[in-house]
């Protein structure tokens, strides 16, 4: 076997090392003894608190959020080292101190609740100290559990709030005093204790817990087995297995990096063994795993933030995400298929395929996910749907002995669910600082109008100004999304980049739906994980594939071409989000878009039924764009060219005799 295709087993230790390198949320201490038991008990208590409030009703906003934040801060300082390479089997004295201070700060609200809610005017000196410490604790916890990018952005926004009068040009504002800043950040619901943390302390935690219970049934391995049973024998089978299993795992995973490492440790060696180039194999897994964040029903937990930020029901959000997600994965599927055809790769052998009867005997493991969708469709609240989903998972697990959630697994799910929620809690608290500054200073509107004006200054028509504004917003979202987890990613992009699109509704007299604008920035924020130079999911994949990070990143961006095109299309015409048009219009839009993805895939790979010349690649790319855009005239023109190209491919491909002669030669 060539060095290019050499397969190495990926051990659990190697997986953990990759996660710690590329995913800050996995970089935790390995505690032993009494502290391990103490942290374990606190994690269980965290989950039980969330379940209790989910069943019997939340406390008032300030109490619910500060208790949630208190649990998260204490656990982060006990579990996450201040320096990544620091010794990880013990806790230094200063982290004990930070954990105690976290308890004191977050207990301030429950202890003095009546006084605080009746307080009029500014905060006094003790409250300034408490609030200032709270901000610093959140920034440090976010740095440890999430990473530097969101922390740096939050610090810059704090400085912007304090030094407003010194800002240049349109960024100038009257500024906030330190008293005003601290007061708004910790003693109102416009900062740390704002909407992002509210969603984390209710919807998101329970859905992460739901995912943890699913994992205890063995659903992750089942997704892999199901994917192999369905797609393993097809042309280029392992790549299609990666796409299928990553899409399924994306329904319970909140991290594209974690999805890449866990699923990729299984699929990438299979792809390399079959003959896929290592940079391409890593790119397939990274792209598919990143796509898991846009796949309903959970969408990396961003769907639940979108309920509050976009003011839409969960069902409308999930429905709007379906067709773009299908097109995303269809694009990857098509390109991996064409790459396999181009290089003569086949599927897996019969002995490598699990017994289909055995696989489909466990199909019941998918029932909780379907139940969640049904509950939400029936109008049940998001919290209740998550709780019912957990209950359904426990019940369904009892159908077979090997999937059963025992008391031990039940406790482990409570622990893992709380552990997974730590990064989300830190990210949403830190993002609350960013949102609070934008609210107080009006920065979002200024940035939005600024991007629109810049686009207008170099445009020659309203249409070109619209496209340029969308392009600038895309670049801003890609930059802001670098290195941030899904939830924080969406909060940042929707706060900073989104206003530019919404500003178009007033300046150009267009009617861009609010949900379409939210989906636009959400998609491009997510794509930062596979877009060089900071493509964390792609870089993590190279730790398994042995490929080159930048080349793998560029391959991943090419495979995700649908995600770079589709957002423009659904902003220009929301039919793809099922927000407009009849069912027939939607069906036609999907059919033409899939055909468009086929020819765009052929253009990217340079192969259809035969190798495609560079001039044909340009024509096929344009044809694909015409077909994807959901508009009558463009569809007809695109379909006409598609038929011509298809016939030409059939007529000019080598016949079977030529292939046999070539093989014999």
């Amino acid at each position: 076997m060539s060095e290019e295709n050499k397969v190495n087993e990926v051990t659990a230790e190697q997986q953990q090392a990759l996660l710690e390198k590329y995913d800050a949320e996995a970089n935790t201490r390995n505690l032993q003894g009494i502290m391990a038991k103490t942290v374990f008990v606190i994690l269980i208590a965290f989950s039980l608190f969330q379940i209790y409030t989910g069943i019997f009703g939340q406390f008032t906003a300030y109490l619910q959020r500060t208790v949630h934040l208190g649990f998260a801060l204490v656990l982060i300082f006990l579990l996450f080292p201040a320096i990544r390479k620091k010794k990880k089997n013990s806790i230094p004295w200063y982290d004990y101190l930070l954990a105690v201070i976290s308890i004191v700060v977050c207990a301030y609200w429950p202890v003095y609740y009546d006084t605080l809610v009746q307080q009029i005017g500014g905060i006094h000196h003790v409250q300034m100290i408490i609030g200032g410490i709270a901000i610093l604790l959140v920034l440090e916890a976010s740095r440890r559990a999430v990473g530097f990018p969101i922390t740096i952005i939050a610090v810059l926004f704090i400085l912007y709030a304090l030094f407003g009068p010194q800002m240049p040009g349109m960024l100038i504002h009257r500024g906030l005093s330190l008293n005003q800043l601290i007061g708004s950040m910790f003693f109102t619901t416009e900062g740390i204790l704002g909407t992002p943390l509210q969603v984390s302390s209710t919807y998101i935690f329970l859905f992460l817990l739901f995912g943890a219970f699913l994992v205890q049934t063995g659903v992750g391995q089942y997704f892999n087995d199901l994917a192999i049973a369905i797609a393993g024998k097809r042309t280029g089978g392992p790549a299609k297995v990666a796409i299928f299993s990553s899409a399924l795992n994306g329904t319970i995973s909140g991290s594209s990096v974690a999805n890449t490492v866990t699923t990729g440790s299984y699929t990438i060696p299979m792809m390399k063994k079959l003959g896929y180039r290592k940079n391409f194999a890593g790119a397939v897994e990274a792209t598919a795993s990143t796509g898991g964040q846009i796949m309903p029903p959970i969408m990396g937990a961003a769907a639940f933030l979108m309920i509050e930020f976009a003011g839409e029901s969960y069902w409308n959000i999930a429905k709007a995400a379906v067709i773009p997600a299908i097109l995303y994965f269809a694009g990857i599927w098509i390109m991996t298929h064409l790459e396999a055809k181009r290089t003569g790769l086949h599927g897996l052998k019969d002995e490598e395929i699990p017994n289909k009867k055995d696989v489909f005997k466990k199909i019941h493991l998918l029932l909780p996910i379907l139940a969640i969708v049904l509950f939400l469709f029936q109008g049940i609240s998001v919290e209740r749907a998550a709780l019912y989903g957990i209950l359904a998972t426990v019940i369904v697990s009892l159908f077979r002995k090997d999937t059963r959630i025992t008391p031990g697994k039940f406790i482990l799910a409570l622990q893992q669910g709380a552990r997974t929620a730590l990064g989300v809690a830190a990210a949403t608290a830190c993002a609350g600082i960013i949102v609070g500054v934008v609210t107080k200073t009006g920065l979002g509107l200024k940035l939005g109008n600024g991007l629109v004006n810049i686009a207008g200054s170099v445009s020659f028509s309203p249409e070109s100004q619209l496209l340029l504004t969308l392009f600038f917003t895309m670049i801003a979202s890609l930059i802001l999304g670098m290195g941030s987890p899904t939830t924080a990613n969406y909060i940042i992009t929707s706060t900073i980049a989104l206003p530019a699109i919404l500003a178009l509704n007033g300046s150009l007299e267009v009617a861009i739906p609010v949900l379409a604008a939210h989906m636009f920035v959400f998609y491009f924020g997510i794509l930062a994980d596979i877009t060089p130079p900071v493509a964390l999911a792609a870089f993590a994949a190279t730790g398994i594939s042995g490929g080159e990070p930048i080349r793998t990143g560029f391959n991943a961006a090419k495979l995700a071409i649908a995600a770079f095109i589709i957002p423009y299309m659904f902003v220009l015409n929301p039919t793809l989000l099922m927000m407009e048009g009849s069912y027939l219009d939607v069906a036609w839009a999907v059919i033409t878009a899939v055909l468009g993805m086929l020819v765009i895939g052929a253009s990217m790979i340079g192969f259809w039924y035969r190798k495609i010349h560079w001039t044909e690649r340009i024509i096929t790319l344009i044809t694909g764009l015409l077909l994807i855009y959901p508009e009558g005239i463009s569809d007809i023109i695109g379909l006409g060219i598609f038929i011509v190209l298809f016939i030409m491919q059939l007529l000019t491909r080598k016949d079977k005799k030529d292939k046999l002669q070539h093989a014999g030669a």
Side-chain angles (χ1 to χ4, degrees):
M1 186 180 295
S2 68
E3 184 66 28
E4 172 76 15
N5 297 327
K6 187 178 179 180
V7 180
N8 296 311
E9 293 295 326
V10 182
T11 65
E13 290 76 14
Q14 289 172 321
Q15 287 186 45
Q16 184 61 30
L18 283 172
L19 284 172
E20 290 180 6
K21 182 177 181 180
Y22 294 106
D23 188 357
E25 295 180 49
N27 188 48
T28 57
R29 294 184 173 111
N30 183 25
L31 300 175
Q32 305 293 329
I34 187 67
M35 281 315 300
K37 294 176 182 177
T38 302
V39 169
F40 179 82
V41 170
I42 299 173
L43 286 166
I44 299 300
F46 194 8
S47 287
L48 292 177
F49 166 76
Q50 296 292 158
I51 292 173
Y52 175 84
T53 57
I55 295 173
F56 298 105
Q58 300 171 29
F59 295 108
T60 59
Y62 290 112
L63 297 183
Q64 179 78 18
R65 299 173 199 183
T66 50
V67 172
H68 178 82
L69 179 63
F71 269 116
L73 291 178
V74 169
L75 286 164
I76 286 170
F77 290 125
L78 293 179
L79 280 172
F80 290 81
I83 301 171
R84 285 199 174 194
K85 295 182 180 179
K86 201 78 172 177
K87 188 178 179 182
K88 293 184 180 179
N89 56 3
S90 62
I91 303 173
W93 65 268
Y94 53 82
D95 278 346
Y96 285 115
L97 179 61
L98 289 175
V100 172
I101 294 173
S102 298
I103 295 172
V104 172
V105 167
C106 291
Y108 191 83
W109 259 108
V111 172
Y112 295 99
Y113 177 77
D114 291 335
T115 303
L116 290 169
V117 295
Q118 295 174 25
Q119 185 171 299
I120 299 174
I123 57 176
H124 55 65
H125 293 302
V126 172
Q127 291 170 349
M128 269 197 71
I129 294 171
I130 292 291
I133 293 173
I135 293 172
L136 294 175
L137 289 173
V138 166
L139 291 173
E140 173 60 11
S142 179
R143 182 191 70 82
R144 294 189 188 195
V146 185
F148 272 108
I150 188 174
T151 310
I152 292 171
I153 292 173
V155 170
L156 291 175
F157 271 65
I158 289 172
L159 294 174
Y160 174 75
L162 293 173
F163 298 100
Q166 286 76 46
M167 291 294 114
M170 68 174 185
L171 296 179
I172 193 169
H173 65 96
R174 64 181 182 180
L176 298 177
S177 68
L178 189 60
N179 185 289
Q180 290 173 323
L181 177 69
I182 292 175
S184 64
M185 288 299 113
F186 193 64
F187 293 99
T188 72
T189 54
E190 294 181 348
I192 291 171
L193 306 180
T195 299
L197 190 65
Q198 178 255 321
V199 178
S200 174
S201 67
T202 53
Y203 314 149
I204 293 179
F205 189 101
L206 291 176
F207 268 91
L208 293 175
L209 199 57
F210 166 66
F213 273 90
L214 274 178
V215 168
Q216 292 305 313
T217 67
V219 75
Q221 182 57 48
Y222 178 68
F223 284 157
N224 289 337
D225 292 341
L226 182 62
I228 294 175
I230 293 174
K233 293 193 70 173
R234 298 178 181 275
T235 302
K240 293 173 181 176
V241 169
I243 297 166
F244 200 96
S245 61
S246 296
L248 290 172
N249 274 297
T251 63
I252 60 172
S253 171
S255 167
S256 53
V257 173
N259 201 358
T260 298
V261 173
T262 53
T263 310
S265 63
Y266 182 69
T267 59
I268 291 174
M270 279 202 306
M271 284 188 269
K272 291 178 65 181
K273 181 180 179 182
L274 186 69
Y276 278 108
R277 293 171 288 118
K278 57 188 177 182
N279 292 316
F280 190 86
V284 170
E285 180 55 53
T287 309
S289 292
T290 300
Q293 307 306 295
I294 62 174
M295 173 62 73
I298 296 178
M299 295 167 61
F304 310 115
L305 285 164
M306 215 174 286
I307 292 171
E308 303 294 333
F309 280 56
E312 289 281 355
S313 69
Y314 170 82
W315 186 249
N316 284 341
I317 293 167
K319 182 178 72 172
V322 167
I323 293 176
I326 290 172
L327 294 177
Y328 179 92
F329 285 104
I332 308 172
W333 187 285
I334 288 166
M335 279 188 267
T336 54
H337 177 81
L338 294 177
E339 174 72 8
K341 285 286 189 183
R342 185 182 71 83
T343 53
L345 303 180
H346 302 288
L348 296 174
K349 299 175 182 177
D350 288 338
E351 58 269 23
E352 297 175 295
I353 306 293
N355 186 288
K356 289 188 177 182
K357 287 184 179 180
D358 292 339
V359 171
F360 286 104
K361 282 180 182 177
K362 294 184 181 181
I363 198 73
H364 63 282
L365 293 178
L366 301 181
L367 291 177
I369 298 173
L370 298 176
I372 285 280
V373 175
L374 181 61
F375 294 146
L376 293 166
F377 179 71
Q378 294 295 325
I380 295 173
S381 71
V382 177
E383 282 179 285
R384 289 286 172 182
L387 289 169
Y388 293 157
I390 293 170
L391 180 60
T393 304
V394 174
I395 294 172
V396 164
S397 75
L398 301 177
F399 292 179
R400 287 174 59 93
K401 185 177 180 180
D402 57 340
T403 65
R404 191 168 299 157
I405 294 181
T406 62
K409 288 184 176 180
F410 189 94
I411 297 296
L412 188 58
L414 293 177
Q415 180 207 23
Q416 291 300 321
R419 201 178 185 110
T420 305
L422 298 181
V424 176
T428 51
C430 190
I433 295 174
I434 299 168
V435 175
V437 171
V438 170
T439 302
K440 286 291 183 182
T441 62
L443 178 61
L445 185 60
K446 292 175 183 177
L447 291 175
N449 289 330
L451 285 179
V452 172
N453 291 335
I454 292 172
S457 66
V458 294
S459 301
F460 51 84
S461 69
E463 291 78 13
S464 62
Q465 184 179 1
L466 170 60
L467 290 173
L468 272 175
T469 302
L470 291 176
F471 176 76
F472 292 151
T473 306
M474 175 191 77
I475 299 299
S477 298
L478 287 170
I479 293 172
L480 292 169
M482 289 179 179
S484 296
T486 302
T487 46
N489 193 323
Y490 168 65
I491 295 168
I492 295 170
T493 54
S494 63
T495 302
I496 302 173
L498 176 71
I501 301 178
L502 298 182
L504 291 170
N505 285 339
S507 61
L508 295 183
E509 298 182 356
V510 295
I512 299 172
V514 172
L515 181 55
H518 278 268
M519 294 289 284
F520 185 91
V521 297
F522 171 57
Y523 264 61
F524 284 115
I526 294 298
L527 286 178
D529 277 345
I530 51 171
T531 305
V534 182
L536 292 184
F539 293 175
T542 62
I544 302 171
S545 68
E548 302 167 43
I550 294 298
R551 289 186 66 183
T552 300
F554 278 113
N555 271 288
K558 182 174 73 172
L559 286 169
I561 187 67
F564 285 94
I565 297 172
I566 297 299
Y568 286 90
M569 300 308 177
F570 63 59
V571 166
L572 297 173
N573 190 329
T575 302
L576 289 175
L577 299 181
M578 292 190 278
M579 298 176 66
E580 294 180 1
S582 64
Y583 288 115
L584 188 60
D585 293 332
V586 172
W588 176 251
V590 172
I591 292 169
T592 54
V594 170
L595 292 177
M597 285 313 308
L598 172 60
V599 287
I600 287 175
S603 175
M604 293 292 105
I605 298 299
F607 185 88
W608 192 348
Y609 285 103
R610 58 166 173 77
K611 186 178 179 181
I612 302 176
H613 190 262
W614 69 267
T615 54
E616 293 177 289
R617 294 176 75 166
I618 295 174
I619 295 171
T620 52
L621 178 62
I622 295 171
T623 304
L625 294 175
L626 289 170
L627 284 166
I628 289 176
Y629 182 59
E631 192 271 331
I633 295 175
S634 67
D635 284 343
I636 292 171
I637 295 172
L639 191 59
I641 302 174
F642 176 90
I643 292 170
V644 172
L645 290 172
F646 178 70
I647 293 172
M648 287 177 61
Q649 284 284 315
L650 290 177
L651 293 176
T652 57
R653 67 175 177 170
K654 294 180 179 180
D655 60 27
K656 186 179 289 187
K657 182 178 178 181
D658 290 335
K659 289 181 181 179
L660 290 173
Q661 289 176 345
H662 179 72

